[in-house]
């Protein structure tokens, strides 16, 4: 775990991220907030690419909670069987769809508490939906963000919750909305787990990571 960077270094890092990618976007394909919720729930322990491949045909026929219920558990399972833990995920999607229809008139709620009360929806999933759909500065910490936060000293922490709080506390307010996307993309394509691409990293000079690759 790297030492916490100071405010000026963090501001410079996010200024560079912003210059390189002014409007970063998540890579999960969706057509509305319901399909975004389902896609994020399905992405746990799976790749975005794998989820997208499975959901393209699914969302073409089931893009609302009621249409998902009409498709049925077996129909949903058939579409997502290439995704890890697909049986349990299918059950969760059907249950959350039932709740959305019964309690929210088929609409996805915009509060974290209501989202987290849905089957298969944890804090990270809720934060992704809040950020990507409603533009809230919610920080969804995945393995990429956890790694980058600790390696760079932007948001060091021993737990996911600690890193989330560190991002909220340390990243300047004007970068909060897109912070988690910049960090995910940096972790996915540059600051990789085994062999980070330090040679081409745009924040190399600001990063205190001791085991930089050459």
């Amino acid at each position: 775990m790297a030492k916490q960077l100071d405010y000026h270094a963090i501001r410079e890092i996010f200024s560079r991220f912003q210059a390189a990618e002014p409007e970063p976007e998540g890579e999960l394909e969706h057509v509305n907030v319901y399909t975004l919720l389902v896609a994020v729930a399905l992405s746990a322990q799976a790749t975005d690419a794998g989820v997208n491949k499975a959901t393209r045909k699914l969302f073409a026929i089931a893009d609302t909670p009621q249409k998902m219920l009409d498709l049925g558990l077996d129909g949903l399972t058939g579409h997502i069987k290439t995704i890890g833990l697909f049986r349990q995920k299918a059950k969760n999607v059907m249950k959350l769809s039932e709740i959305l229809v019964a309690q929210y008139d088929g609409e996805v709620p915009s509060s974290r508490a209501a989202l987290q009360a849905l089957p298969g929806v944890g804090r990270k999933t809720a934060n992704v939906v809040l950020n990507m759909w409603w533009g809230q500065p919610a920080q969804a910490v995945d393995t990429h963000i956890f790694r980058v936060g600790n390696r760079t000293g932007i948001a060091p922490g021993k737990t996911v919750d600690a890193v989330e709080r560190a991002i909220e506390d340390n990243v300047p307010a004007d970068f909060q909305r897109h912070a988690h996307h910049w960090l995910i993309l940096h972790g996915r394509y540059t600051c990789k787990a085994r062999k980070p691409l330090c040679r081409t990293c745009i924040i190399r000079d600001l990063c205190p990571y001791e085991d930089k690759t050459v």
Side-chain angles (χ1 to χ4, degrees):
M1 183 187 300
K3 183 180 179 181
Q4 172 70 56
L5 289 178
D6 65 29
Y7 172 84
H8 297 291
I10 293 176
R11 170 163 281 284
E12 176 60 24
I13 285 172
F14 281 93
S15 294
R16 294 183 190 181
F17 285 159
Q18 184 180 58
E21 188 72 45
E23 294 290 332
E25 296 181 352
E27 297 182 331
L28 285 172
E29 297 173 7
H30 58 283
V31 297
N32 54 31
V33 65
Y34 171 71
T35 54
L36 173 61
L37 174 64
V38 172
V40 179
L42 293 176
S43 71
Q45 300 181 50
T47 65
D48 287 0
V51 172
N52 290 338
K53 185 176 180 180
T55 57
R56 286 182 190 122
K57 291 182 178 179
L58 171 64
F59 292 158
I61 59 174
D63 61 354
T64 69
Q66 187 59 59
K67 289 180 182 178
M68 191 68 75
L69 294 176
D70 293 341
L71 180 63
L73 180 60
D74 289 342
L76 170 58
T77 302
H79 278 89
I80 67 170
K81 60 186 178 181
T82 57
I83 299 175
L85 307 175
F86 69 94
R87 295 187 189 281
Q88 184 58 51
K89 290 177 179 179
K91 292 177 181 178
N92 287 337
V93 169
M94 297 306 290
K95 289 178 182 177
L96 73 82
S97 297
E98 290 177 1
I99 293 172
L100 292 178
V101 169
Q103 299 182 19
Y104 298 99
D105 296 322
E107 300 295 326
V108 176
S110 58
S111 81
R112 180 182 285 111
L115 287 169
Q116 286 189 241
L118 297 172
V121 179
R123 185 177 180 87
K124 186 180 78 171
T125 296
N127 281 350
V128 171
V129 175
L130 292 172
N131 180 274
M132 287 183 64
W133 194 260
W134 283 291
Q136 295 185 23
Q139 307 303 332
V141 179
D142 67 353
T143 56
H144 296 300
I145 293 181
F146 186 82
R147 178 175 66 256
V148 173
N150 278 289
R151 270 185 182 171
T152 62
I154 293 171
K158 294 183 179 180
T159 67
V160 168
D161 289 344
V163 170
E164 180 182 335
R165 288 193 298 272
I167 294 172
E168 293 172 346
D169 291 343
N170 302 332
V171 176
D174 48 325
F175 297 120
Q176 283 280 335
R177 181 181 175 188
H178 293 312
H180 97 271
H181 277 133
W182 282 317
L183 292 171
I184 286 174
L185 293 172
H186 190 65
R188 183 173 291 163
Y189 298 111
T190 301
C191 196
K192 299 180 179 182
R194 294 185 179 181
K195 293 184 178 180
L197 306 180
C198 299
R199 182 188 296 275
T200 58
C201 177
I202 62 174
I203 63 168
R204 176 189 172 101
D205 58 311
L206 298 168
C207 176
Y209 182 52
E210 294 181 355
D211 298 322
K212 287 189 178 75
T213 57
V214 295

